[in-house]
Amino acid sequence: MQFADVIVDISAHALDRTFQYRVPEELEGSCDIGSVVNVPFGSRLVTGYIVGFSDQPRVKEDKIRPLQGSVAGATSEESRLTGLAVWIRDRYGCTFLQALHTVLPKKARMKVAQRKKVVLCVSEESAEHALSVMHVKKQAARERLLRELIAEKSLPWEVITQKLNVTGQTVKALEARGLVKIETEDAYRNPVLPEAYAHRSVTLNEEQSAIVSGICDRWNEEPAGRYLIRGITGSGKTEVYIELIAYAVSRGLQAIVLIPEIALTYQTLMRFYHRFGERVSVIHSRMSAGERSDQFERARRGAIDVMIGPRSALFTPFEHLGIIVIDEEHEESYRSGQAPKYHAREVAFRRGEMEGAKVVLGSATPSLEASYAAEKGIVKEFRLDHRAGKSALPYVGIIDLRREEGFGDRNMISRQLKAAMGETLQRKEQIMLFLNRRGYAGAVTCRSCGKVIRCPHCDVALTLHGKDRLVCHYCGYETRLTGKCPECGSPYLRTFRAGTEQVEKEVGQLFPGARVLRMDKDTTAGKDGQLNILSKFASREADILIGTQMIVKGHDFPDVTLVGILAADLSLNIPDFRAAERTFQLLTQAAGRAGRADKPGKVLIQTYQPDHYAVRCAMRQDYDSFYQKEMDLRLLSGYPPAGGLLQVHMACSDRDHLKIAADHLKALLDRILCQVRSAQVLGPTDDMVGRIADVYHMVIYLKCPGRKVLRVCKNRLERYIEANEGFRNVEITFDVD
Ligand code: ADP
Ligand code: ZN
Ligand code: ZN
């Protein structure tokens, strides 16, 4: 007899364990790990997930109730993904349900969309004849449609009604004359536009070919091989990915390509579509859950070979996964912000190991983790040191803001940068101004009492928007700036408005004739806001693009010859051990935007800390020196990747209660670790932001060279928390690095 271990789909901490059920005979063949089943729970019938089987009952056998039926059988792929969820739970510390919902997103039960298309059903000759008749009768819309159909043979309904601007009535009129047929088919929506299916290919250069053969020639010898392609921006990494994927596909395997959301540009997608046509799909965060679920369904049915998307695309249920590519692997967005706080790189390695798939990481500025793994031989590193096209690397100069008088009060653009902008505009070339605002808000301070105007519910400064709107970016609280300090009533307020709006204004004053586009959270709110701005800039409808980190990634503008980085060091001051790494990456990536075609580019970095190694190394585009320096510091301080770090985040609306709970956890950790000399427990202290929407946040850090110790500690904490009533009102999440 067989028993199934089932996770019940009820979110309650006390239920975060498996329950045993008997598998009735009639279900024996159809149940598998990953199957979704109905189980009796108390007096109810609830949904559950099978995560394992056993032959031994864990309680008295007559107490074990039978499964009531299966909702959905699992493909072998779903079974494997369930296995991955179990690993995620153990690795990152979260509930079974959180892990399962991450890995197997709920299938949205949607009506299958109907795809309508219009097909030409007469010979070209008779169509041409009909065309000339329409022309004479001045039936412009009919003519337009027919002309297009002669070229394309068939067209999707949306293209006809939206792009050609032809009404349904017109189509019906042509149908009535027997010229066209309207066909419908069940369709899982394919987000790809049909015009992308024209084939295009490049011939790889020597460096690129060496990587492709380095991986493909040993395809069978290294089934779960791990590779890092370190290649400067524009060195042709994407072409290498495409070749590797084509090789996998030719062997009947499938591929997942992770791209940071922000770099998921039309241009990049097109290159994949050109190569793989209908067999590619994409998911992104602007899609509804149903649309995303459709794309997973297409993967499950074998309708596609390549899935492109951000972090969550990692869980695409491909049956024969051959390769996972993670582009810009250093990106922060690959770490999940909510439980389970997994990192896509680590989960990809795990999935690759489980399914015999290769993992290829690519970046111009690899994370310390990836390079350290390469140094240790866990990952095989390849290099692309030359730009693929004929363009040269840009000239990079540093502007020392400490020498710039009166800077920062009213203006953001130094004299040197202004001069360079003037020259660039004169040459009729384009400029990108990048404002590094990370860790910085457009705060308002009082010159009399020195206080910053803060959110009454959070420990953060309010941000000034427009003329007098003060907004809290953590809880959404909004108020008006009255012109007086709320603390002391003084009218002498000073605004640090180093926002993109302010830069836009300043540029307008300096260069009244220049056409300016601004890209930030406010201007890109709409569904295609970001795309619109970028395509306007690409088609030269503007001379200057101003933006935050959004403009740094992935976009290719051949006419941009000047990149100005306005406040390079703001991100150096964040209390985070990765602050220098992030700054180096941002600056290097931003610099890589200049001069991509045949025109030489120039990058000017404005900074108050021109001697900081992150700034200096970025200026020289010197990854190796940066890595050495930063890795030495990590080894010295025991931070990842030199050692493991466990963060225990605790949140509660009762401050005293939170403090007591935190002290208990700290005491437990001290007890567990009293024998482990190398471990270090820091805290509890207030979290980065100590209060959000009136909920208090604290954190304990545990540093230890051995990751096994961290896991033991995390598991002990989890059990302790579950067993003690006192933690019921405290939300606790783990961050395992
Ligand atoms: P990366 O992904 O490293 O930034 P890309 O793959 O986007 O680099 O390549 C940069 C540019 O060079 C693209 O326009 C691409 O089409 C072109 N390119 C890449 N490889 C080649 C090649 N072998 N021959 C010609 N052009 C290439
Ligand atoms: Zn004041
Ligand atoms: Zn707030």
Side-chain angles (χ1 to χ4, degrees):
M1 190 201 284
Q2 253 200 331
F3 301 99
D5 295 321
V6 174
I7 305 286
V8 294
D9 199 345
I10 300 173
S11 302
H13 240 283
L15 299 181
D16 188 37
R17 59 184 191 85
T18 59
F19 293 87
Q20 249 185 342
Y21 288 90
R22 194 160 47 76
V23 182
E25 243 170 69
E26 68 270 22
L27 287 181
E28 250 169 38
S30 59
C31 278
D32 221 324
I33 292 181
S35 288
V36 185
V37 290
N38 282 325
V39 292
F41 196 78
S43 56
R44 298 192 278 160
L45 205 59
V46 301
T47 305
Y49 302 88
I50 299 181
V51 296
F53 290 100
S54 53
D55 283 327
Q56 297 300 320
R58 281 196 305 262
V59 293
K60 266 217 191 105
E61 221 183 300
D62 52 354
K63 286 239 169 106
I64 299 180
R65 301 158 83 183
L67 300 176
Q68 291 282 311
S70 133
V71 176
T75 63
S76 55
E77 194 43 47
E78 282 164 328
S79 301
R80 285 195 290 257
L81 284 169
T82 303
L84 190 63
V86 172
W87 180 84
I88 286 176
R89 175 184 183 271
D90 186 46
R91 171 77 175 75
Y92 297 102
C94 64
T95 66
F96 270 122
L97 263 190
Q98 285 168 331
L100 281 168
H101 286 169
T102 301
V103 166
L104 303 169
K106 280 206 175 116
K107 282 174 209 168
R109 288 180 196 91
M110 309 239 329
K111 235 175 55 195
V112 175
Q114 297 270 310
R115 185 195 278 174
K116 241 166 139 180
K117 62 178 181 181
V118 177
V119 188
L120 184 70
C121 52
V122 294
S123 72
E124 211 167 295
E125 219 178 0
S126 19
E128 289 285 356
H129 177 71
L131 205 58
S132 55
V133 176
M134 289 169 188
H135 189 73
V136 174
K137 290 191 178 171
K138 294 205 175 11
Q139 294 168 323
R142 293 183 190 193
E143 197 186 336
R144 196 157 63 238
L145 173 60
L146 196 56
R147 194 178 297 283
E148 203 66 23
L149 275 174
I150 290 171
E152 301 288 333
K153 302 299 174 247
S154 96
L155 287 170
W157 187 261
E158 303 79 52
V159 172
I160 292 172
T161 51
Q162 286 158 27
K163 294 194 82 173
L164 294 179
N165 205 12
V166 170
T167 63
Q169 257 174 338
T170 309
V171 182
K172 297 246 165 68
L174 294 200
E175 193 187 28
R177 291 153 145 257
L179 291 169
V180 304
K181 259 200 327 256
I182 302 172
E183 290 179 355
T184 44
E185 54 185 315
D186 275 358
Y188 286 96
R189 284 159 289 190
N190 182 359
V192 182
L193 297 171
E195 68 246 40
Y197 304 143
H199 195 78
R200 183 201 70 116
S201 73
V202 300
T203 312
L204 296 190
N205 63 31
E206 238 168 76
E207 270 188 336
Q208 289 169 316
S209 313
I211 299 178
V212 172
S213 54
I215 295 174
C216 295
D217 291 353
R218 305 183 48 77
W219 195 271
N220 291 332
E221 285 82 356
E222 298 168 4
R226 298 170 179 184
Y227 311 94
L228 167 64
I229 303 177
R230 195 177 120 199
I232 54 173
T233 319
S235 59
K237 293 185 290 298
T238 308
E239 297 299 337
V240 173
Y241 306 151
I242 288 175
E243 252 347 278
L244 292 172
I245 292 166
Y247 184 78
V249 169
S250 76
R251 299 175 68 110
L253 303 172
Q254 291 108 37
I256 294 171
V257 184
L258 300 189
I259 294 182
E261 179 91 37
I262 226 163
L264 197 63
T265 62
Y266 192 66
Q267 291 158 335
T268 310
L269 288 181
M270 277 306 153
R271 290 162 69 180
F272 283 91
Y273 295 154
H274 282 315
R275 184 61 175 264
F276 302 104
E278 283 236 290
R279 307 288 299 173
V280 183
S281 185
V282 60
I283 57 173
H284 53 74
S285 65
R286 291 188 309 273
M287 285 172 138
S288 67
E291 285 171 316
R292 265 181 280 178
S293 160
D294 273 5
Q295 300 316 314
F296 273 22
E297 189 56 35
R298 293 176 73 209
R300 198 175 287 121
R301 292 174 166 214
I304 54 171
D305 298 319
V306 185
M307 176 64 94
I308 306 176
R311 196 175 62 223
S312 58
L314 187 53
F315 304 111
T316 307
F318 279 130
E319 188 74 41
H320 302 287
L321 184 63
I323 185 168
I324 303 171
V325 172
I326 306 183
D327 189 32
E328 313 273 4
E329 65 79 32
H330 63 276
E331 271 292 311
E332 262 172 294
S333 61
Y334 288 129
R335 191 185 300 279
S336 166
Q338 65 213 34
K341 292 185 175 176
Y342 69 93
H343 195 293
R345 186 196 315 117
E346 293 167 352
V347 178
F349 281 169
R350 179 66 193 173
R351 187 168 178 194
E353 206 173 283
M354 289 169 70
E355 303 184 24
K358 288 165 215 323
V359 178
V360 177
L361 311 174
S363 174
T365 52
S367 61
L368 275 260
E369 278 77 5
S371 284
Y372 193 58
E375 197 184 316
K376 296 261 165 218
I378 300 164
V379 165
K380 193 164 169 182
E381 183 178 294
F382 294 102
R383 299 273 297 267
L384 284 175
D385 289 325
H386 304 93
R387 283 195 166 182
K390 45 189 178 281
S391 66
L393 280 174
Y395 161 83
V396 185
I398 288 190
I399 299 169
D400 186 348
L401 291 181
R402 294 170 307 185
R403 303 207 183 144
E404 188 86 12
E405 256 168 67
F407 186 82
D409 213 4
R410 297 251 137 67
N411 58 344
M412 288 293 295
I413 295 172
S414 64
R415 273 162 297 167
Q416 242 176 297
L417 179 55
K418 180 188 163 195
M421 287 174 70
E423 287 164 22
T424 309
L425 289 174
Q426 214 146 46
R427 286 198 306 271
K428 303 233 175 298
E429 290 162 3
Q430 286 179 299
I431 301 167
M432 282 170 96
L433 292 184
F434 164 60
L435 180 66
N436 181 0
R437 304 176 37 114
R438 195 153 292 190
Y440 186 87
V444 179
T445 54
C446 171
R447 290 185 201 225
S448 304
C449 74
K451 293 231 166 78
V452 177
I453 302 185
R454 290 173 176 279
C455 173
H457 308 288
C458 311
D459 283 343
V460 292
L462 292 171
T463 309
L464 189 63
H465 285 252
K467 246 180 32 211
D468 61 353
R469 257 175 73 224
L470 283 170
V471 181
C472 171
H473 282 271
Y474 281 83
C475 74
Y477 171 84
E478 238 191 270
T479 185
R480 297 253 158 224
L481 181 63
T482 58
K484 275 190 190 143
C485 169
E487 291 283 328
C488 73
S490 158
Y492 300 109
L493 298 177
R494 172 183 157 147
T495 55
F496 292 90
R497 269 215 229 217
T500 41
E501 286 172 60
Q502 188 67 8
V503 176
E504 184 179 19
K505 223 157 138 200
E506 192 177 338
V507 169
Q509 282 155 7
L510 294 176
F511 305 102
R515 298 163 302 164
V516 179
L517 280 172
R518 175 165 65 92
M519 185 156 138
D520 55 26
K521 284 221 174 75
D522 291 339
T523 59
T524 57
K527 192 167 173 179
D528 297 315
Q530 189 167 327
L531 213 63
N532 280 340
I533 295 176
L534 292 171
S535 67
K536 270 191 191 162
F537 190 60
S539 61
R540 302 234 34 182
E541 284 172 46
D543 308 304
I544 303 172
L545 176 63
I546 301 168
T548 50
Q549 357 281 357
M550 280 183 203
I551 66 171
V552 175
K553 318 260 154 58
H555 317 299
D556 199 353
F557 303 108
D559 285 328
V560 172
T561 55
L562 176 65
V563 171
I565 300 170
L566 298 182
D569 37 53
L570 282 177
S571 53
L572 282 175
N573 305 322
I574 309 174
D576 175 352
F577 71 91
R578 290 200 171 93
E581 184 181 355
R582 299 265 172 260
T583 305
F584 172 77
Q585 286 161 352
L586 265 173
L587 297 185
T588 310
Q589 301 268 342
R593 296 293 113 209
R596 292 201 60 160
D598 45 352
K599 296 171 195 137
K602 189 175 192 173
V603 180
L604 293 176
I605 303 176
Q606 299 190 154
T607 173
Y608 285 102
Q609 299 177 62
D611 298 322
H612 194 285
Y613 64 95
V615 176
R616 294 226 80 83
C617 292
M619 182 190 102
R620 296 194 309 265
Q621 306 264 303
D622 183 356
Y623 180 85
D624 288 310
S625 302
F626 177 78
Y627 171 75
Q628 281 312 328
K629 173 90 189 162
E630 183 69 16
M631 200 59 223
D632 286 350
L633 288 175
R634 302 270 176 102
L635 283 165
L636 212 65
S637 57
Y639 276 117
L645 178 71
L646 170 70
Q647 300 180 41
V648 186
H649 295 277
M650 300 148 288
C652 180
S653 51
D654 180 339
R655 202 193 154 93
D656 298 330
H657 186 78
L658 177 63
K659 182 79 173 77
I660 294 168
D663 286 340
H664 274 293
L665 294 186
K666 154 89 165 160
L668 175 66
L669 280 175
D670 286 340
R671 277 203 303 281
I672 303 170
L673 294 166
C674 61
Q675 305 288 347
V676 187
R677 284 263 186 84
S678 54
Q680 211 183 343
V681 185
L682 308 169
T685 61
D686 283 347
D687 215 332
M688 186 113 84
V689 179
R691 189 169 50 126
I692 299 173
D694 291 324
V695 173
Y696 295 88
H697 291 252
M698 296 189 87
V699 60
I700 298 174
Y701 297 97
L702 167 58
K703 278 201 273 183
C704 185
R707 276 154 219 259
K708 219 168 162 188
V709 175
L710 291 187
R711 195 178 290 211
V712 169
C713 287
K714 180 193 62 85
N715 291 341
R716 288 279 296 275
L717 286 173
E718 279 182 321
R719 262 176 283 148
Y720 183 71
I721 291 161
E722 204 187 302
N724 281 282
E725 283 289 323
F727 294 106
R728 282 293 115 81
N729 302 319
V730 185
E731 200 190 313
I732 297 170
T733 54
F734 298 96
D735 224 323
V736 188
D737 232 315

